[in-house]
Short mmCIF file of all heavy atoms in Angstrom, two decimals:
data_model
loop_
_atom_site.label_atom_id
_atom_site.label_comp_id
_atom_site.label_asym_id
_atom_site.label_seq_id
_atom_site.Cartn_x
_atom_site.Cartn_y
_atom_site.Cartn_z
N PRO Q 55 19.02 -24.49 13.81
CA PRO Q 55 18.56 -23.15 14.31
C PRO Q 55 17.54 -23.33 15.41
O PRO Q 55 16.33 -23.31 15.11
CB PRO Q 55 18.04 -22.52 13.03
CG PRO Q 55 17.59 -23.67 12.22
CD PRO Q 55 18.49 -24.81 12.53
N GLY Q 56 17.95 -23.58 16.62
CA GLY Q 56 17.01 -23.86 17.69
C GLY Q 56 16.21 -22.71 18.17
O GLY Q 56 15.06 -22.53 17.74
N CYS Q 57 16.78 -21.91 19.05
CA CYS Q 57 15.99 -20.85 19.65
C CYS Q 57 15.98 -19.56 18.80
O CYS Q 57 15.13 -18.72 19.01
CB CYS Q 57 16.61 -20.51 21.01
SG CYS Q 57 18.26 -19.82 20.93
N ARG Q 58 17.02 -19.40 17.95
CA ARG Q 58 17.16 -18.15 17.15
C ARG Q 58 17.38 -16.98 18.00
O ARG Q 58 17.16 -15.80 17.56
CB ARG Q 58 15.99 -18.03 16.20
CG ARG Q 58 15.96 -19.10 15.12
CD ARG Q 58 14.88 -18.79 14.06
NE ARG Q 58 14.87 -19.83 13.10
CZ ARG Q 58 15.76 -19.85 11.98
NH1 ARG Q 58 16.55 -18.86 11.85
NH2 ARG Q 58 15.65 -20.80 11.11
N GLU Q 59 17.83 -17.15 19.23
CA GLU Q 59 18.11 -16.06 20.12
C GLU Q 59 19.44 -16.06 20.77
O GLU Q 59 19.80 -15.36 21.65
CB GLU Q 59 16.98 -15.99 21.24
CG GLU Q 59 15.66 -15.69 20.74
CD GLU Q 59 14.60 -15.68 21.80
OE1 GLU Q 59 14.94 -16.01 22.97
OE2 GLU Q 59 13.46 -15.39 21.49
N GLY Q 60 20.30 -17.05 20.35
CA GLY Q 60 21.66 -17.22 20.87
C GLY Q 60 21.68 -17.82 22.23
O GLY Q 60 22.73 -17.72 22.94
N GLU Q 61 20.65 -18.60 22.66
CA GLU Q 61 20.58 -19.10 23.96
C GLU Q 61 20.87 -20.60 24.00
O GLU Q 61 21.30 -21.13 25.06
CB GLU Q 61 19.23 -18.87 24.54
CG GLU Q 61 18.87 -17.39 24.78
CD GLU Q 61 19.77 -16.72 25.84
OE1 GLU Q 61 20.18 -17.39 26.78
OE2 GLU Q 61 20.03 -15.48 25.66
N CYS Q 62 20.67 -21.36 22.93
CA CYS Q 62 20.71 -22.80 23.05
C CYS Q 62 21.98 -23.42 22.52
O CYS Q 62 22.36 -24.54 22.92
CB CYS Q 62 19.53 -23.43 22.35
SG CYS Q 62 19.53 -23.39 20.56
N GLY Q 63 22.71 -22.80 21.61
CA GLY Q 63 23.92 -23.32 21.09
C GLY Q 63 23.83 -24.37 20.03
O GLY Q 63 24.85 -24.88 19.47
N ALA Q 64 22.59 -24.70 19.61
CA ALA Q 64 22.47 -25.73 18.61
C ALA Q 64 22.96 -25.34 17.20
O ALA Q 64 23.25 -26.22 16.41
CB ALA Q 64 20.96 -26.13 18.47
N CYS Q 65 23.17 -24.05 16.97
CA CYS Q 65 23.67 -23.57 15.71
C CYS Q 65 25.15 -23.14 15.83
O CYS Q 65 25.64 -22.36 14.93
CB CYS Q 65 22.78 -22.32 15.30
SG CYS Q 65 23.01 -20.90 16.33
N THR Q 66 25.82 -23.65 16.83
CA THR Q 66 27.28 -23.24 17.00
C THR Q 66 28.10 -23.66 15.86
O THR Q 66 28.05 -24.70 15.36
CB THR Q 66 27.81 -23.89 18.27
OG1 THR Q 66 27.00 -23.47 19.38
CG2 THR Q 66 29.28 -23.50 18.54
N ILE Q 67 28.92 -22.66 15.42
CA ILE Q 67 29.96 -22.84 14.39
C ILE Q 67 31.26 -22.24 14.93
O ILE Q 67 31.21 -21.58 15.98
CB ILE Q 67 29.57 -22.13 13.02
CG1 ILE Q 67 29.39 -20.65 13.23
CG2 ILE Q 67 28.40 -22.78 12.41
CD1 ILE Q 67 29.36 -19.84 11.93
N ILE Q 68 32.30 -22.47 14.23
CA ILE Q 68 33.58 -21.85 14.56
C ILE Q 68 33.81 -20.81 13.40
O ILE Q 68 33.85 -21.21 12.30
CB ILE Q 68 34.73 -22.78 14.71
CG1 ILE Q 68 34.45 -23.67 15.85
CG2 ILE Q 68 36.06 -22.08 14.86
CD1 ILE Q 68 35.42 -24.86 16.03
N MET Q 69 33.91 -19.53 13.78
CA MET Q 69 34.21 -18.47 12.84
C MET Q 69 35.46 -17.74 13.25
O MET Q 69 35.55 -17.18 14.35
CB MET Q 69 32.99 -17.50 12.70
CG MET Q 69 33.14 -16.54 11.62
SD MET Q 69 31.65 -15.72 11.20
CE MET Q 69 31.28 -14.74 12.56
#
Side-chain angles (χ1 to χ4, degrees):
C57 67
R58 295 188 176 273
E59 296 178 356
E61 297 293 328
C62 74
C65 68
T66 300
I67 59 168
I68 297 173
M69 188 164 68

